[in-house]
Amino acid sequence: MMEKIAKLIEQAQSDIAASNTLAQINAVKVKYLGKSGELTQLLRGMKDLAPEDRPAAGKFVNQARDEITELTDKKSKELAQAETDEKMLKESIDITLDGNAVERGSLHPCTLVANEIVEIFTSMGFSIAQGPEIELDKFCFQMLNIPPDHPARDMQDTFYITDEALLRTHTSSVQARAMLKSKPPIRIVCPGKVYRPDDDATHSPMFQQIEGLVVDEKVTLCDLKGLLETFAQKLFDQKTKVRFRPSFFPFTEPSVEVDVTCSVCHGKGCRICKGTGWIEILGAGIVNPKVLENCGIDSKKYKGLAFGLGIERTTMIKYGIPDMRILFENDVRFLKEFK
Ligand code: FA5
């Protein structure tokens, strides 16, 4: 029995020494120490020994098991470390290599301009109001002093959905909703998409507008001019001047078209302003008392000023873009210019 055990230890030592992988050393463990392993078999054979030989043989077998366990554990650790070292060497990262570039998007120029305009007005105490793009004729036209069959409806060709519902042609519809909802003083800007059946280099069927409305006890055309001049100087540059030309909107009286000095030539005349030195930027006026009354506001006590500008047109002026359609093509080379 003792001889057998000694041989087994010798055999195990040589198997352990010959193991070069974790899989091999695990197989050696199973071969000697597993449930049907050779050492386990020897332990089972103890019952055939004479009782007086059993204690010494038992001790020897236990020693053998401890020794083989120790040797296989040691070898397992060595092999595991060697495998980790090899893996680390293979997978080492060269931190001097360039990483994979992640393409970052950017805001569309119209979004940049819209955000900037909203920021200018909010910094002057305006709050933001919004309304639905699918609007009722009532808010888009009737409350704004444009009854059905009024010739002024021809000024804004309209996509009708039903006789009552339409795609709003201007953000002035939000004015009516805001005045019905809140009492003066009112000071709001209303950004949003609007729709008209137009399509050429300076007109798009979908475009964005920002409406502005102030209703208070003392509001004059001078306030409108001062407000729009401050706005234009913040959006373009400090030297920008504003000029009013008489115009007509059914919801304002008097009404004006507002021009700013060309931001490219500063009023000298160039290709962008067609030699005039001025560029039309928005429509505005003093809110027609009929509109205030339609919205439940006492027109004897309160006056209003309102203006509406096109975001695409303003973006074209600010960046000298000659054709509005470029803004809708989403050519990445163009959009990258605004990163
Ligand atoms: C209006 O829409 C009025 N609601 C503006 C207003 C508000 C006047 C409050 C008075 C008081 P107008 O139709 O001119 O006005 O449009 C305003 C701006 O929208 C224009 O100056 C232009 O910049 C832009 N715009 C008009 N039609 C188009 C279009 N098809 N594509 C792109 N921009 C357009």
Side-chain angles (χ1 to χ4, degrees):
M1 180 75 173
M2 298 304 204
E3 247 175 59
K4 261 190 185 173
I5 297 170
K7 259 195 179 167
L8 202 69
I9 294 174
E10 235 175 75
Q11 181 61 43
Q13 282 170 337
S14 101
D15 282 353
I16 291 166
S19 297
N20 291 320
T21 63
L22 275 174
Q24 285 170 352
I25 194 69
N26 284 338
V28 172
K29 262 191 215 172
V30 174
K31 180 178 170 189
Y32 293 97
L33 306 170
K35 255 191 204 165
S36 330
E38 299 196 17
L39 207 61
T40 319
Q41 297 297 337
L42 274 183
L43 273 168
R44 283 197 189 122
M46 297 275 288
K47 63 180 183 326
D48 303 328
L49 291 180
E52 62 276 16
D53 293 337
R54 280 183 202 162
K59 198 174 165 196
F60 201 35
V61 171
N62 281 336
Q63 275 174 358
R65 192 188 52 211
D66 291 348
E67 192 176 338
I68 294 171
T69 303
E70 194 181 320
L71 288 174
T72 50
D73 284 353
K74 192 171 165 225
K75 188 75 181 200
S76 282
K77 270 189 200 150
E78 282 170 14
L79 289 173
Q81 185 61 48
E83 280 188 17
T84 309
D85 288 350
E86 200 185 323
K87 207 171 161 201
M88 296 271 277
L89 215 64
K90 266 195 208 152
E91 291 178 5
S92 67
I93 299 164
D94 182 349
I95 55 163
T96 61
L97 278 177
D98 283 345
N100 289 335
V102 178
E103 281 276 349
R104 292 191 64 185
S106 57
L107 292 178
H108 190 279
C110 288
T111 309
L112 292 174
V113 170
N115 289 349
E116 199 178 339
I117 294 173
V118 168
E119 218 172 284
I120 292 171
F121 283 107
T122 50
S123 76
M124 293 196 272
F126 284 68
S127 46
I128 300 167
Q130 281 181 319
E133 287 172 32
I134 296 177
E135 184 55 283
L136 294 174
D137 188 286
K138 177 178 146 188
F139 293 111
C140 199
F141 294 129
Q142 293 172 41
M143 308 275 296
L144 299 174
N145 194 33
I146 318 177
D149 305 323
H150 190 288
R153 290 212 179 196
D154 293 344
M155 289 167 77
Q156 296 179 6
D157 274 348
T158 308
F159 291 112
Y160 275 92
I161 297 166
T162 65
D163 286 349
E164 303 259 298
L166 46 83
L167 292 180
R168 68 179 177 191
T169 53
H170 56 178
T171 41
S172 300
S173 53
V174 188
Q175 271 194 37
R177 287 179 173 274
M179 285 193 273
L180 280 172
K181 219 165 65 182
S182 36
K183 298 261 157 293
I186 296 170
R187 198 177 289 194
I188 51 167
V189 279
C190 327
K193 294 190 193 110
V194 300
Y195 304 83
R196 294 182 197 177
D198 290 340
D199 196 6
D200 60 38
T202 52
H203 293 85
S204 159
M206 187 286 295
F207 59 102
Q208 300 173 69
Q209 282 190 338
I210 292 190
E211 187 83 4
L213 174 73
V214 176
V215 181
D216 210 335
E217 287 190 22
K218 284 178 191 138
V219 173
T220 66
L221 207 60
C222 286
D223 294 322
L224 178 64
K225 194 159 188 207
L227 178 70
L228 293 178
E229 196 158 77
T230 307
F231 156 68
Q233 287 172 352
K234 284 185 187 236
L235 186 67
F236 300 110
D237 67 62
Q238 275 301 317
K239 289 191 191 127
T240 307
K241 288 201 174 55
V242 168
R243 116 181 145 176
F244 281 3
R245 280 181 293 110
S247 184
F248 171 75
F249 296 105
F251 32 92
T252 45
E253 183 57 43
S255 302
V256 290
E257 291 289 349
V258 181
D259 299 339
V260 289
T261 42
C262 175
S263 57
V264 177
C265 66
H266 302 289
K268 288 193 193 88
C270 69
R271 192 177 54 85
I272 300 292
C273 60
K274 300 194 181 84
T276 64
W278 294 94
I279 296 183
E280 182 190 316
I281 183 169
L282 54 86
I286 294 298
V287 180
N288 192 319
K290 280 190 196 161
V291 175
L292 295 177
E293 294 293 339
N294 286 347
C295 299
I297 292 176
D298 180 354
S299 65
K300 295 220 167 50
K301 186 169 180 199
Y302 294 105
K303 300 278 170 276
L305 64 82
F307 54 90
L309 63 86
I311 297 295
E312 286 74 10
R313 202 69 67 72
T314 310
T315 306
M316 289 168 77
I317 296 169
K318 189 165 161 87
Y319 294 115
I321 297 165
D323 191 323
M324 189 176 287
R325 288 166 292 204
I326 299 171
L327 294 171
F328 294 96
E329 279 168 3
N330 285 334
D331 184 329
V332 173
R333 288 167 302 180
F334 168 75
L335 296 176
K336 273 187 175 166
E337 299 290 316
F338 299 90
K339 266 197 173 175

